Amino acid sequence: MSFFRSSALIILALVSINSVLASEMYRDGDEPDLCEENEKVLFNCGIGSKYLSLCSSKDLSPSTGYISYRFGELDKKPELEYPTDNVMPKDAFVYSYNPYAKGNSIQLSFSMGQYTYTVDVQSHVYRPDWYGVVVEKESEISSRLKCDLDKRRFGLMLLDDLGFTVHRPRDLGTSPK
């Protein structure tokens, strides 16, 4: 076996091991969240002393399960939880995704009364990433809460296969579709 081929196999093995370890870290992260023991963490981040968690049932699929948005302090009832009933995600949220050569944009939005809440993930090569939630009142941004990047877990791309109608991300502060 040539030197280059054996080196390539060793690198491939190390990348595979690293991928497995990263997925295990994601599943069993030490970062606290607002999800229940019997739920998966789709997204989680600290925002100051509070947390934003998107939790799902373990049986999440296009025909079963739920997603729950929770915001608040640890070990307390969430300040905001949506939806209050376990409904199909595509009936409760609007999912937007736009991959491009140097990054991607992912948004998961819902509305309550005159407010729209958008979990916004902007990942770029040539400018800083932004993870957080944007709150709008009647299409005007009322608050923009940025995640502490050292306190986050992220898995929103798992939503691609859940039967959502995938929208293009919108400029926040404009009317949702």
Side-chain angles (χ1 to χ4, degrees), residues 21-31 153:
L21 291 174
S23 68
E24 289 303 314
M25 284 179 15
Y26 169 75
R27 254 184 271 150
D28 301 322
D30 293 330
E31 190 61 42
R153 279 188 280 167

Side-chain angles (χ1 to χ4, degrees), residues 121-134:
V121 174
Q122 303 293 324
S123 180
H124 310 283
V125 172
Y126 295 111
R127 63 178 187 238
D129 293 347
W130 196 91
Y131 298 78
V133 63
V134 177

Side-chain angles (χ1 to χ4, degrees), residues 102-120:
K102 300 293 181 183
N104 65 54
S105 176
I106 303 171
Q107 296 174 342
L108 189 68
S109 303
F110 65 92
S111 294
M112 291 178 64
Q114 51 189 306
Y115 290 93
T116 299
Y117 298 81
T118 301
V119 176
D120 188 33

Side-chain angles (χ1 to χ4, degrees), residues 16-165:
S16 297
I17 290 168
N18 191 35
S19 296
V20 169
L21 291 174
S23 68
E24 289 303 314
M25 284 179 15
Y26 169 75
R27 254 184 271 150
D28 301 322
D30 293 330
E31 190 61 42
D33 57 65
L34 301 175
C35 300
E36 302 292 329
E37 284 292 319
N38 63 340
E39 293 177 321
K40 288 192 230 178
V41 179
L42 296 179
F43 180 88
N44 182 66
C45 74
I47 300 175
S49 64
K50 299 180 181 180
Y51 282 82
L52 164 63
S53 297
L54 286 173
C55 312
S56 77
S57 57
K58 291 198 182 219
D59 66 344
L60 186 61
S61 75
S63 59
T64 62
Y66 64 88
I67 294 175
S68 179
Y69 171 102
R70 297 183 188 131
F71 180 79
E73 294 182 32
L74 295 173
D75 301 322
K76 292 184 180 180
K77 183 178 177 181
E79 293 174 30
L80 179 62
E81 184 167 8
Y82 176 86
T84 54
D85 298 328
N86 293 340
V87 299
M88 291 299 301
K90 65 183 180 180
D91 296 330
F93 296 94
V94 174
Y95 177 61
S96 305
Y97 178 56
N98 183 34
Y100 50 92
K102 300 293 181 183
N104 65 54
S105 176
I106 303 171
Q107 296 174 342
L108 189 68
S109 303
F110 65 92
S111 294
M112 291 178 64
Q114 51 189 306
Y115 290 93
T116 299
Y117 298 81
T118 301
V119 176
D120 188 33
V121 174
Q122 303 293 324
S123 180
H124 310 283
V125 172
Y126 295 111
R127 63 178 187 238
D129 293 347
W130 196 91
Y131 298 78
V133 63
V134 177
V135 182
E136 299 164 283
K137 181 179 181 185
E138 299 173 347
S139 298
E140 295 290 325
I141 295 175
S142 62
S143 63
R144 187 181 292 265
L145 305 173
K146 185 176 181 180
C147 292
D148 302 331
L149 292 183
D150 60 333
K151 296 193 300 186
R152 68 177 168 89
R153 279 188 280 167
F154 169 65
L156 286 181
M157 288 199 283
L158 300 173
L159 302 179
D160 281 354
D161 300 324
L162 291 180
F164 280 104
T165 299

